[in-house]
Structure formats: structure tokens, C-alpha cells
């Protein structure tokens, strides 16, 4: 299984989870796990997704996620999980 | 299993603390481009570089996007060109430089290194042609970087080469005086030059390297400074531990990029260079790390000790994170490329003599230092000799990249733009070392070289 981490940071607003997860569904990307927290009005969500059957190149998907973030005034980072594994595990 | 804290830490390091991979550098051997005809030699060089590196930038950008890691530079290093020039003239060397520039342009890389000569024990025919051609080659090209190795712990110092390079540095500045003497920002004089250095301007693809290789240079001064800031008032052992932990993470990222780039390009992975490379951007300064440790300003008493700790901790943290470590590996202190160093030089707190002391305990040497335009060639040669002596005796790499600011003097500044930055002209002692430099010959290899 190839997995990616989508991180969403910014001001809380209606429909963040819906927009991001429908963006995933549109490309056959399964959401495996979601952690979210709201501190005051700042929204932080981390989503682990399965990109094994992604129907577009991963870089294109990452660009689309960034674009959704920009439309909603949020920082969205879509990164392959290998980065986190290599930096934080031995 | 990943946890939220680790993920957010990585995002913060990249987004707010300027963590990046500074360079993915492809080393390409040109030894099979040899020809008896200069035109054919250039055609073969161009073809080989373009064939090997045609996907370098695209693959770099792909990795950048997939992993969310900024990869600032994609670059090429080639076999020291002097090794191909034995049968040619000085003008042919310039022609090769133009060819390298054209190939770099075609491949979309911002610098190509390897217009180089290794003369630590003496000059071969090609070395003389190449060194004579450096001022013109750097004046007529934009992307070509040049380096000359004038000494080593094993061979001693070639003082004829040191004297010659003093003159070449001046001529290079004069030839590019209309562009803030930028030629000298692309010219490094080394002692103990590494063959696998991915960083410019000193990168070249050594004769002991494979046909093609990927080397990666990491960065992250901002991430180290931020980690120290968060650690607060811990003791010095605690400071070293924080730096080690951060360096480990930074280097793991570099190792991942090296492995991926190597796999996707079908080229063996060479080394990861464990370096803290600053940029002029705010929050990306090695000087600011030293100041975070507790110095009022970089250059004050205590700077050398703080830098020694930093340099050692970066290596200790990085070495376990990477399968193969190489290149320069350590903290860089290029004055014009580091916002904190620029400020310290402007205020007068940081002087060349202090920088020289700092180079004894860190990576590289007197790097990106603007000196008065009337500095004589023999003084530049003596600066090179001093710095090379530190490298020779301590069995480490040292280098000199000084920029004589033609027509300007202390109190004025040079500005190169981009990663090369800019900064004040620093005073240099004017008493003459001319007689010492004009003696020529070789400083014998130090006793430390006899290790067998």
C-alpha cells in the first residue's frame, strides 16, 4: 500500500473535511485515518490516505489539493508518507 | 507509526524554518569524451552531459512535489576539465567552458562545476591551459564554476600554484568588474578538495568516481536555530544534543531524496553531504544559530568554540542518518550568503582574521568574502596560502573564495543577487607578503601525512 499524508492548517470554516475528502474520492483515494483539532479558531487536520489506486499522477493530485486549500484560505500539504517515516523513525 | 507531533514538526520545518534540500548534483565523467580535435571534444562533452542529465531537473521537481520537500538547486559536476586539455591551447579551454555553459542551459541547471584543475603537487599541460583560461572562461559564461586544488595533506602546498591563483583571482575580478566582479563568486581555491562535493562553486566529479552519480547536499540552518530556540536555556551538552537530533532528521530527508533521485534516474547514489548551508534569506543563517547559542553577534569571542560544537554535532547527527557521507560535510560560513554574517561584517564584529580561525573548526574556508579592489595579487595568494595551510595541517578541506571589489574599497558593498547574496567589503592587512609568495616551490607535506 502506498500512503500519503494530507495536512490542512488554517482558519476553521464550513466544509473543509468535505472538500478535501471529496477531492480524494474523485481520484479513487481512500481515506484511512483522520485526526483533527481546533485550537481557538485555528483548524489543524491530518489525514492519512491510500494512494495505491490513485487515477492521476500523484503530483497532479497534490497540486489539486493545494488549489482547494488556496480557494478556502488554508495551507494544504500533500506529502508521501516516506518522508515522515524516514525523518522520524530509525 | 506516525504521530501528529512528528508530522507537524516536519511541516513547520519546511514551511517556517526554510528546511530544504540545497542541491541534487549529478556527477558526470567526461573521460570518455576525449578527442584529438577541440571541436569534437566539445561536441562529445555537450552530448554526454545532455544525455545523462536530460531528466535531472524534471525528476528533481517531481520528487519535490511528491514529498513536499523544496529542492533548491539541481546541478551538474563534471570531470576536472584540465584532464581533457593536455593537447590543447588556452583558447580551446575557453571553448570547453562555453560548451559546459550551453549544456547547463539546455539541461536547465543553474550551475555546472568542474572547470577545474588538481595541481597540489605540480602542473600538467592541461592544468596550465585551464588556469590561464579561468578569467576569460568565467567572464564569458554564466553558469560555469571553476576550482583549483593547490594543496593536500599528503602532497603539501604548491606555492607556485598559490601565487598563480592570487593573480588569477584578481584577473577574474577585473574581467567581470562591470558585474560586481561576479566571476570570483564562481571560483574556489582548495586544499584537500573532495571528489564528491555536490556544492558549488567547488563541485567537480573526481577521477575516482563512477561514470555518473547522484550526490545530495542538505541544508537547514533555520531548523537548527528554531530547535535551539525551543530548547531554551539548556546547558551546552543539551545544545549539542538538540543539534544532533535536528541534523539527523534533516539528513534523513537528504538520504531519502538521494535514494529516490538515484532510483528514478537509474544512476547510482553517491553521498549525502551533511551540511548547514545558509542563504541570504531571513531565518536561514548559520550566524544566527551561533547567536541563538548565546553570542551577542557572530564574530565575538566564543564564536570559534560555538562553531566547533555546531560543526561536530551536525556530523554526529547526520552520519547515522545516511548510508554514505561525503563532500564537505559541516557548517558553511559564506559571508555574503548569510544574513547574520552580513550584519556582523557590516558592524565590524566579524573580521577576516576571525573567519580564518573559524575555518579551522568548520567546513570549507574563507568563503564569499568581499575584499578591497586594490588588494595586490600577492596578498590574495597569501590569504590562499594561510587558509590552505590550515587545511593541510588539520587534514581537512579548506578553500578560499574571495571577491576583490575592483574600483571599490572598505565602506562600500557588492551585490550578486540570488543565493550568492551580497555584502560589505572587509578590510585586509596591507603589509606585503610579496617576497614570501615570490619564492615559489612547495611547502613540504606535514608530518601528519605520514600515516602508513
Amino acid at each position: 500500500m502506498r500512503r500519503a499524508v494530507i495536512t490542512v492548517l488554517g482558519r476553521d470554516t464550513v466544509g473543509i473535511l468535505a472538500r478535501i475528502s471529496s477531492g480524494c474520492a474523485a481520484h479513487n483515494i481512500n481515506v484511512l485515518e483522520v485526526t483533527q483539532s481546533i485550537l481557538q479558531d485555528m483548524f489543524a487536520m491530518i489525514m492519512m490516505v491510500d494512494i495505491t489506486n490513485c487515477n492521476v499522477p500523484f503530483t497532479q493530485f497534490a497540486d489539486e489539493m493545494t488549489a482547494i486549500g488556496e480557494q478556502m484560505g488554508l495551507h494544504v500539504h500533500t506529502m508521501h508518507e516516506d518522508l515522515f517515516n524516514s525523518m522520524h523513525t530509525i | 507509526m506516525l504521530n501528529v507531533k512528528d508530522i507537524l514538526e516536519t511541516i513547520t520545518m519546511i514551511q517556517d524554518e526554510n528546511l530544504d534540500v540545497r542541491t541534487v548534483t549529478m556527477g558526470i565523467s567526461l573521460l570518455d569524451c576525449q578527442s584529438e580535435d577541440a571541436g569534437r571534444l566539445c561536441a562529445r562533452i555537450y552530448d554526454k552531459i545532455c544525455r545523462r542529465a536530460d531528466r535531472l531537473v524534471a525528476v528533481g521537481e517531481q520528487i519535490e512535489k511528491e514529498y513536499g520537500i523544496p529542492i533548491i538547486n539541481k546541478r551538474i559536476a563534471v570531470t576536472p576539465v584540465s584532464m581533457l586539455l593536455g593537447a590543447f591551447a588556452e583558447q580551446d579551454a575557453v571553448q570547453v567552458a562555453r560548451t559546459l555553459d550551453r549544456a547547463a542551459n539546455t539541461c536547465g541547471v543553474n550551475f555546472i562545476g568542474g572547470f577545474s584543475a588538481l595541481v597540489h603537487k605540480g602542473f600538467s599541460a592541461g592544468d596550465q591551459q585551464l588556469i590561464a583560461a579561468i578569467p576569460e572562461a568565467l567572464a564569458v559564461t554564466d553558469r560555469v564554476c571553476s576550482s583549483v586544488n593547490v594543496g593536500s595533506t599528503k602532497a603539501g602546498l604548491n606555492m607556485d600554484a598559490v601565487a598563480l591563483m592570487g593573480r588569477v583571482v584578481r584577473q577574474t575580478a577585473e574581467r567581470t568588474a562591470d558585474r560586481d566582479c561576479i566571476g570570483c563568486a564562481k571560483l574556489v581555491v582548495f586544499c584537500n578538495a573532495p571528489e564528491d562535493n555536490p556544492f558549488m562553486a567547488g563541485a567537480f566529479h573526481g577521477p575516482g568516481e563512477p561514470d555518473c552519480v547522484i550526490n545530495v547536499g542538505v541544508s537547514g540552518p533555520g531548523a537548527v536555530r528554531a530547535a535551539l530556540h525551543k530548547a531554551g536555556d539548556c546547558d551546552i551538552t543539551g545544545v549539542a544534543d538538540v543539534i544532533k537530533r535536528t541534523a539527523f532528521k534533516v539528513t534523513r530527508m537528504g538520504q531519502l531524496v538521494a535514494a529516490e533521485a538515484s532510483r528514478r534516474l537509474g544512476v547510482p547514489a553517491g553521498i549525502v553531504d551533511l551540511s548547514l548551508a545558509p542563504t541570504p534569506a531571513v531565518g536561514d543563517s548559520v550566524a544566527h544559530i551561533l547567536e541563538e547559542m548565546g553570542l551577542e553577534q557572530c564574530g565575538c569571542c566564543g564564536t570559534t568554540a560555538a562553531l566547533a560544537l555546531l560543526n561536530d554535532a551536525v556530523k554526529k547527527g547526520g552520519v547515522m542518518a545516511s548510508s554514505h557521507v561525503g563532500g564537505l560535510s559541516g557548517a558553511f560560513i559564506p559571508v555574503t550568503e548569510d544574513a547574520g554574517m552580513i550584519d556582523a561584517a557590516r558592524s565590524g564584529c566579524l573580521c577576516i582574521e576571525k573567519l580564518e580561525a573559524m575555518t579551522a573548526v568548520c567546513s570549507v574556508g574563507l568563503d564569499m568574502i568581499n575584499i578591497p579592489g586594490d588588494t595586490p595579487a600577492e596578498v590574495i595568494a597569501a590569504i590562499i596560502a594561510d587558509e590552505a595551510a590550515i587545511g593541510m595541517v588539520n587534514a581537512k578541506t579548506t578553500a578560499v573564495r574571495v571577491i576583490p571589489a575592483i574600483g571599490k574599497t572598505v565602506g562600500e558593498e557588492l551585490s550578486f543577487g540570488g543565493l550568492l547574496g551580497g555584502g560589505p567589503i572587509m578590510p585586509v592587512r596591507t603589509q606585503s607578503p610579496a617576497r614570501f609568495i615570490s619564492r615559489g616551490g612547495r611547502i613540504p607535506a606535514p608530518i601528519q601525512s605520514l600515516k602508513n
Side-chain angles (χ1 to χ4, degrees):
Chain A
M1 187 193 291
R2 293 175 63 228
R3 300 193 300 186
V5 176
I6 302 172
T7 316
V8 184
L9 300 167
R11 195 169 290 277
D12 193 16
T13 178
V14 174
I16 298 176
L17 186 54
R19 286 287 302 276
I20 298 288
S21 48
S22 57
C24 292
H27 294 306
N28 205 26
I29 287 171
N30 188 27
V31 177
L32 301 169
E33 199 179 324
V34 181
T35 310
Q36 77 169 60
S37 62
I38 297 166
L39 297 169
Q40 294 171 343
D41 58 350
M42 289 306 286
F43 179 87
M45 178 177 79
I46 294 168
M47 193 182 256
M48 181 73 82
V49 297
D50 177 1
I51 54 168
T52 316
N53 300 315
C54 180
N55 57 18
V56 290
F58 179 65
T59 51
Q60 184 187 326
F61 171 68
D63 282 342
E64 287 180 20
M65 287 290 115
T66 308
I68 291 174
E70 280 166 5
Q71 286 164 17
M72 303 184 78
L74 301 161
H75 290 291
V76 178
H77 301 270
T78 310
M79 296 146 91
H80 201 287
E81 73 157 341
D82 283 356
L83 173 67
F84 303 100
N85 287 332
S86 62
M87 282 180 78
H88 299 284
T89 57
I90 296 177
Chain B
M1 188 62 201
L2 290 172
N3 70 49
V4 172
K5 185 172 146 288
D6 291 343
I7 291 171
L8 290 178
E9 183 188 52
T10 300
I11 303 271
T12 308
M13 283 166 97
I14 292 171
Q15 189 175 288
D16 301 333
E17 297 162 7
N18 295 311
L19 177 64
D20 54 51
V21 167
R22 185 51 46 84
T23 180
V24 173
T25 303
M26 177 180 271
I28 303 172
S29 169
L30 299 182
L31 290 173
D32 55 350
C33 299
Q34 195 54 275
S35 170
E36 74 290 349
D37 174 73
R40 203 174 306 151
L41 171 70
C42 289
R44 285 180 175 177
I45 288 173
Y46 180 82
D47 288 346
K48 177 148 190 195
I49 293 172
C50 293
R51 192 172 69 244
R52 282 299 198 172
D54 66 333
R55 292 196 304 123
L56 175 64
V57 171
V59 165
E61 285 170 357
Q62 199 181 34
I63 294 171
E64 204 171 346
K65 202 163 270 178
E66 281 185 29
Y67 291 93
I69 309 166
I71 301 175
I72 307 300
N73 299 300
K74 295 90 185 172
R75 291 168 169 172
I76 297 170
V78 297
T79 303
V81 166
S82 71
M83 295 173 72
L84 308 172
L85 289 178
F88 296 106
E90 186 186 322
Q91 268 315 307
D92 298 323
V94 175
Q95 200 50 40
V96 173
R98 287 183 191 273
T99 305
L100 294 177
D101 204 39
R102 205 157 50 87
N105 192 28
T106 305
C107 297
V109 299
N110 59 356
F111 282 125
I112 183 164
F115 196 74
S116 307
L118 310 176
V119 295
H120 34 282
K121 218 162 180 179
F123 302 93
S124 66
D127 297 330
Q128 279 165 338
Q129 269 77 294
L130 182 123
I131 293 173
I134 286 174
E136 186 176 353
L138 295 180
V140 299
T141 60
D142 292 322
R143 301 171 193 231
V144 174
C145 292
S146 178
S147 56
V148 175
N149 192 59
V150 297
S152 75
T153 303
K154 273 283 180 197
L157 293 190
N158 178 351
M159 291 300 286
D160 294 318
V162 167
L164 178 58
M165 288 314 295
R167 297 194 292 275
V168 168
V169 168
R170 255 207 84 83
Q171 287 160 8
T172 304
E174 284 162 3
R175 287 295 303 264
T176 51
D178 56 332
R179 284 170 281 158
D180 273 8
C181 311
I182 197 165
C184 289
K186 297 180 284 176
L187 173 60
V188 186
V189 187
F190 273 117
C191 176
N192 288 324
E195 298 195 2
D196 51 8
N197 163 27
F199 285 101
M200 296 297 169
F204 64 87
H205 185 73
E209 295 284 303
D211 188 60
C212 191
V213 73
I214 287 289
N215 296 322
V216 167
V218 299
S219 182
V224 172
R225 197 203 64 82
L228 282 178
H229 184 72
K230 276 176 218 150
D233 282 326
C234 55
D235 73 355
I236 287 292
T237 309
V239 167
D241 282 341
V242 168
I243 297 169
K244 273 196 292 189
R245 275 201 296 274
T246 312
F248 175 83
K249 291 172 191 168
V250 169
T251 310
R252 289 285 280 193
M253 187 183 77
Q255 173 72 22
L256 175 70
V257 168
E260 269 306 305
S262 151
R263 188 178 65 76
R264 293 180 193 200
L265 289 163
V267 168
I271 56 94
V272 175
D273 191 320
L274 316 176
S275 288
L276 284 183
T279 68
V282 173
D284 209 14
S285 157
V286 169
H288 288 160
I289 301 176
L290 306 179
E291 290 166 12
E292 186 66 46
M293 281 189 211
L295 303 176
E296 183 183 340
Q297 189 162 37
C298 179
C300 72
C301 298
T303 302
T304 310
L307 184 60
L309 177 154
L310 172 65
N311 198 56
D312 185 64
V314 165
K315 286 190 267 194
K316 283 175 178 161
V319 76
M320 188 172 157
S322 170
S323 314
H324 297 282
V325 173
L328 298 164
S329 284
F332 292 176
I333 51 169
V335 177
T336 69
E337 298 177 5
D338 184 308
M341 299 265 175
I342 295 168
D343 288 343
R346 276 191 189 131
S347 76
C349 184
L350 186 62
C351 62
I352 288 186
E353 290 74 15
K354 188 65 181 176
L355 281 160
E356 186 180 316
M358 290 160 72
T359 65
V361 299
C362 81
S363 173
V364 202
L366 292 174
D367 198 14
M368 292 302 286
I369 297 172
N370 301 330
I371 57 173
D374 59 358
T375 309
E378 57 269 19
V379 172
I380 299 171
I383 293 173
I384 294 169
D386 282 345
E387 195 54 36
I390 291 174
M392 173 181 75
V393 169
N394 294 299
K396 71 184 285 293
T397 304
T398 50
V400 171
R401 183 165 49 151
V402 292
I403 302 100
I406 303 300
K408 294 189 176 181
T409 191
V410 177
E412 295 177 271
E413 302 213 348
L414 289 182
S415 173
F416 312 109
L419 282 178
L420 296 171
I425 294 163
M426 299 176 75
V428 174
R429 286 168 200 231
T430 50
Q431 291 82 352
S432 177
R435 185 157 171 257
F436 175 66
I437 294 300
S438 67
R439 285 175 185 271
R442 282 163 50 203
I443 295 183
I447 196 76
Q448 291 91 319
S449 69
L450 301 176
K451 286 191 172 164
N452 289 346

